[in-house]
Amino acid sequence: MKKYQKKSLLAGLFGFIVFIFGVVIMVSLAGQRLSHEIQMDAAVLINHVDAADAEREKLLSALNALNYSQCDDTTLLAMRRALFDATYVVDIGFFKNDKLVCTAGTGLLATPIDDKSPDYIERDGVRVRFAPAFFLILFPERSMQVVIVRQHNYNVILQPSKIDLHSVHAKTWQVFFKNKQTINHLTGIDGVYEKISSSMVLPYESLELCSQVTPNYCVAVLYPWREYISKKSMLFLICLSLCVMAGLSAGLLANYYMATKRSTWRRVRRGLHQHSFYWTYQPIINLQTQQVIGCEVLARFKDKFGTLTPDEFIPLIRKHQQTWGFTQAMITTILHELSKASQLPDEFKVSLNIFPYDVQQGKLSELIHMPALLESRFSICLEITEDEYLDSNIAHSHLQSLADAGFTLSIDDFGTGYSNLANLQNLCFHQLKIDRTFVQDIATAGLKASMIPNIMELVTKFGYSCVAEGIETQEQEAILKTAGVQFGQGWKYGKPMAIEQFKQFMSKQKSP
């Protein structure tokens, strides 16, 4: 799989992860919201339980405080007044000698009814009995589920179904009484507590809550996800769409970021700080003696994404005005590498390519303040490429100070750029370098090859030395020697080499 395909796959995977992360957040937030609604429902139900108990305690305490000993019109009136304002109590009864003798709804009973045993007795002596199928004397044909609470001479019949269901969001809930032995269903849907206790429900969708006021009275609420999602389907659809958009956007951004990270300029800029640039050395030969008298330092680039050619990174370094930083890095590195090369003789010529922009800006003047460069045992030649315009009036003083400091100055790639007679006359160059295109044209006797004698006339006129680059064949070498060219470089003599290869190459050469 190609690298860019792998990067695109990673970007897609990142987008998918963002989508999943968004869904997880959406579900988590929805779960918290669902849990909040369930807590509210449970709180509402518990409030009803507490309110029913409070109503029961208020009615029974008030009636018992009257100290009536028998059921007469006064007692019935008091019972009916209490029932009139009740919410959860559906009837009130009066007992005498543990027999029910009258109720607020029926009045005086023809035959007293024995009180039944309670299901449990509270600490204050209040007797509680749960009746899942109870028939009021007044409505003998209608069964209801009630809680019968007796305190002293009175009891009340509480109907849990009186709870206001409009304020409860969940459809599945249960109010029940729980102790160590039994669970008594009071209202709602029987079996909800057992269901949520069996761990057969999903997170967030259930809750059990017991009253702090009336112990053992609890509620169980179940609000299944499917009901919650169905109820808020439009909101979930919008959120899911946003997650999809977030995932796609993240994937596209990741792909763009990685593409940008792989862009040539990003790689070059990082390479300036992360040592992705390295330098190779191509030998320069004395064409008459065939001895290696120097080398040209050539920049190369390699990072984790691969290699870049000089034609790719040099224009970008120029465009973004990073030329001087690049040059400083080059000088620092090559001096460190060459200083350890014992195979190189003193005054070995080392040619460095310099940008015209740095000449124009006066940056090259800083070279005369670099002790390591000035004190080097090598002869440093600065090759000024002529692919950028060089104003001779501005450059003169800068180049003169370099020449005075002992540097050799060379015009690189002569004949391909902006060099002219004014530059040759006014600037203190020592060397002229014939571009490889002139040399390669020799074999075909092209127009550029015919210009070599003219170039050599200028070389002789101004007293320059001359180097021809790009020599690959014996024929090219012979023609250049006949024309008077003194030095040459090219694949015929050696390709650009890393420092260790170059040391080995120099070890094999005969001393001049």
Side-chain angles (χ1 to χ4, degrees):
M1 185 180 292
K2 295 181 179 179
K3 285 186 177 180
Y4 72 88
Q5 292 176 323
K6 292 181 179 179
K7 299 296 182 182
S8 298
L9 183 61
L10 286 174
L13 179 61
F14 178 73
F16 179 72
I17 291 173
V18 170
F19 166 73
I20 295 299
F21 184 69
V23 171
V24 169
I25 291 178
M26 178 187 74
V27 172
S28 178
L29 292 175
Q32 293 178 25
R33 181 60 186 172
L34 174 59
S35 177
H36 177 68
E37 290 193 13
I38 290 175
Q39 290 176 6
M40 291 178 61
D41 288 346
V44 168
L45 293 170
I46 288 295
N47 287 339
H48 280 293
V49 170
D50 293 342
D53 184 70
E55 182 177 286
R56 179 271 307 171
E57 183 178 3
K58 179 181 177 181
L59 291 182
L60 291 178
S61 297
L63 290 172
N64 281 302
L66 297 176
N67 293 320
Y68 294 142
S69 59
Q70 59 183 2
C71 186
D72 52 18
D73 291 341
T74 303
T75 303
L76 287 172
L77 179 61
M79 292 166 59
R80 288 166 179 165
R81 283 177 176 174
L83 184 63
F84 181 79
D85 294 326
T87 301
Y88 304 96
V89 176
V90 295
D91 205 354
I92 302 174
F94 179 81
F95 286 82
K96 186 173 182 179
N97 299 324
D98 285 335
K99 292 182 180 292
L100 181 67
V101 296
C102 67
T103 67
T106 306
L108 192 63
L109 301 181
T111 303
I113 301 174
D114 292 329
D115 191 15
K116 294 183 179 180
S117 300
D119 290 305
Y120 81 100
I121 300 175
E122 295 182 356
R123 293 179 181 179
D124 56 359
V126 174
R127 300 155 61 90
V128 179
R129 181 163 61 91
F130 302 105
F134 182 79
F135 298 89
L136 287 175
I137 299 174
L138 191 60
F139 303 103
E141 73 286 350
R142 188 173 68 184
S143 174
M144 61 180 67
Q145 185 170 7
V146 298
V147 179
I148 303 172
V149 182
R150 178 182 171 187
Q151 183 179 7
H152 303 308
N153 294 335
Y154 296 88
N155 75 352
V156 293
I157 298 175
L158 296 166
Q159 187 177 7
S161 60
K162 290 288 186 177
I163 292 175
D164 180 16
L165 302 182
H166 295 290
S167 55
V168 179
H169 297 91
K171 297 179 180 179
T172 309
W173 54 269
Q174 179 185 14
V175 178
F176 58 94
F177 174 86
K178 178 177 69 172
N179 58 23
K180 294 181 180 180
Q181 291 77 30
T182 60
I183 294 176
N184 297 98
H185 172 72
L186 301 181
T187 187
I189 299 177
D190 194 5
V192 174
Y193 169 71
E194 286 80 1
K195 184 174 182 178
I196 67 175
S197 299
S198 64
S199 302
M200 296 178 60
V201 295
L202 297 174
Y204 298 112
E205 66 178 13
S206 65
L207 177 68
E208 177 195 351
L209 183 66
C210 294
S211 173
Q212 300 297 317
V213 178
T214 53
N216 301 113
Y217 287 91
C218 304
V219 298
V221 181
L222 175 62
Y223 198 168
W225 274 103
R226 61 180 181 275
E227 292 182 13
Y228 183 70
I229 293 174
S230 177
K231 186 176 180 180
K232 302 182 183 295
S233 57
M234 184 57 68
L235 179 60
F236 271 91
L237 184 60
I238 293 173
C239 291
L240 187 61
S241 300
L242 291 175
C243 290
V244 171
M245 292 176 62
L248 289 174
S249 300
L252 292 173
L253 287 174
N255 190 57
Y256 173 77
Y257 172 75
M258 287 188 286
T260 303
K261 192 175 180 180
R262 298 193 303 270
S263 70
T264 305
W265 167 237
R266 289 283 184 123
R267 293 172 62 188
V268 170
R269 186 172 67 178
R270 285 195 306 272
L272 291 171
H273 304 287
Q274 298 177 1
H275 308 293
S276 298
F277 284 95
Y278 65 98
W279 280 266
T280 59
Y281 305 87
Q282 186 173 32
I284 299 175
I285 307 296
N286 185 316
L287 296 182
Q288 300 299 324
T289 65
Q290 295 295 301
Q291 297 296 316
V292 180
I293 56 91
C295 66
E296 180 181 5
V297 179
L298 299 171
R300 297 293 183 265
F301 180 96
K302 185 176 182 180
D303 62 6
K304 62 183 180 180
F305 299 111
T307 60
L308 293 176
T309 66
D311 289 341
E312 291 177 294
F313 62 76
I314 291 297
L316 290 173
I317 291 174
R318 286 198 181 105
K319 178 181 178 181
H320 295 278
Q321 299 181 358
Q322 298 295 313
T323 53
W324 183 238
F326 175 81
T327 300
Q328 287 178 307
M330 173 185 65
I331 292 172
T332 301
T333 303
I334 64 106
L335 286 178
H336 176 72
E337 292 181 346
L338 294 178
S339 65
K340 298 180 179 180
S342 59
Q343 300 86 347
L344 305 182
D346 292 346
E347 298 303 319
F348 188 77
K349 186 175 183 178
V350 179
S351 295
L352 310 176
N353 289 292
I354 302 299
F355 294 94
Y357 176 80
D358 292 332
V359 178
Q360 297 280 104
Q361 299 297 314
K363 294 290 186 181
L364 286 189
S365 299
E366 296 182 21
L367 296 180
I368 63 178
H369 301 296
M370 297 177 65
L373 192 60
L374 294 176
E375 298 170 6
S376 172
R377 63 189 180 91
F378 304 113
S379 174
I380 305 299
C381 177
L382 304 178
E383 296 187 5
I384 315 296
T385 58
E386 64 157 2
D387 51 359
E388 294 181 39
Y389 175 72
L390 185 64
D391 189 322
S392 60
N393 294 325
I394 296 176
H396 177 74
S397 61
H398 300 308
L399 294 178
Q400 186 63 55
S401 63
L402 291 172
D404 294 341
F407 293 101
T408 300
L409 303 180
S410 174
I411 298 179
D412 193 17
D413 299 335
F414 182 80
T416 62
Y418 293 95
S419 289
N420 52 48
L421 287 176
N423 283 348
L424 295 178
Q425 290 176 326
N426 299 332
L427 299 179
C428 47
F429 288 107
H430 307 92
Q431 176 180 282
L432 184 149
K433 202 166 190 181
I434 300 175
D435 184 66
R436 68 180 61 250
T437 57
F438 289 84
V439 177
Q440 292 170 354
D441 217 24
I442 288 175
T444 59
L447 178 62
K448 285 190 174 183
S450 66
M451 295 176 63
I452 291 179
N454 296 4
I455 294 175
M456 294 310 298
E457 287 182 14
L458 293 174
V459 168
T460 303
K461 177 180 178 179
F462 293 107
Y464 293 166
S465 61
C466 183
V467 181
E469 60 181 357
I471 301 175
E472 298 179 359
T473 66
Q474 188 68 36
E475 179 186 6
Q476 292 171 341
E477 180 188 69
I479 293 173
L480 291 168
K481 287 172 64 176
T482 302
V485 177
Q486 301 159 293
F487 308 102
Q489 69 182 90
W491 284 15
K492 182 180 184 301
Y493 314 109
K495 296 181 180 181
M497 294 168 270
I499 184 61
E500 294 301 324
Q501 292 177 299
F502 187 61
K503 288 179 183 179
Q504 294 175 9
F505 173 83
M506 289 300 300
S507 296
K508 298 176 182 179
Q509 301 303 306
K510 294 181 179 180
S511 300

